[in-house]
């Protein structure tokens, strides 16, 4: 029974890490879009702003709803914390672009 439990935990950890890696990639794509938007004065049309804000909202929901299982490593936990800070920073960047 113990072996099966360890295998399940390892499988969940791999899935969790894949999920976090994909979230990091998504956050980076949004960050690049916002960075590009700073250089183009007219980019923040109503449609662009609505899409950017919706994307940020969805990423924030995903990142802030992650519960940290007891078996999560300290490094994995730090990645989640970094993602949460990054989302917060991106909201501030978005507000600056929106002005």
């Amino acid at each position: 029974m113990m072996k099966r439990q360890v295998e399940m935990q390892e499988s969940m950890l791999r899935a969790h890490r894949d999920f976090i890696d994909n979230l990091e990639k998504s956050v980076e794509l949004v960050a690049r879009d916002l960075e590009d938007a700073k250089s183009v004065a007219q980019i923040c049309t109503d449609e662009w702003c609505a899409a950017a804000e919706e994307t940020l909202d969805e990423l924030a929901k995903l990142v802030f709803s992650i519960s940290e299982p007891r078996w999560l490593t300290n490094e994995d936990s730090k990645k989640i914390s970094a993602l949460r800070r990054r989302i917060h920073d991106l909201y501030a960047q978005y507000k600056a672009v929106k002005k």
Side-chain angles (χ1 to χ4, degrees):
M1 182 69 173
M2 188 65 156
K3 181 180 177 190
R4 181 173 289 164
Q5 188 176 13
V6 169
E7 288 172 350
M8 286 175 45
Q9 187 173 319
E10 288 172 353
S11 176
M12 288 187 290
L13 182 59
R14 281 190 305 276
H16 181 81
R17 285 179 176 159
D18 287 344
F19 178 68
I20 296 299
D21 288 344
N22 286 323
L23 276 176
E24 286 176 324
K25 290 173 188 171
S26 296
V27 167
E28 190 53 42
L29 288 171
V30 171
R32 277 190 261 151
D33 283 349
L34 289 173
E35 194 62 37
D36 291 346
K38 285 195 306 191
S39 64
V40 180
Q42 302 301 333
I43 200 163
C44 202
T45 62
D46 288 341
E47 184 179 323
W48 184 91
C49 283
E53 190 164 357
E54 186 178 311
T55 301
L56 275 172
D57 288 345
E58 287 302 315
L59 282 172
K61 284 183 215 173
L62 287 169
V63 170
F64 284 95
S65 69
I66 297 171
S67 75
E68 297 184 38
R70 61 180 163 68
W71 41 260
L72 203 62
T73 67
N74 198 26
E75 181 182 326
D76 291 315
S77 206
K78 285 179 182 179
K79 276 186 164 186
I80 294 170
S81 293
L83 270 173
R84 289 176 178 155
R85 282 190 306 276
R86 187 76 170 122
I87 291 290
H88 177 66
D89 293 346
L90 287 175
Y91 267 114
Q93 190 176 352
Y94 165 73
K95 295 293 183 188
V97 169
K98 190 176 175 182
K99 288 182 181 180

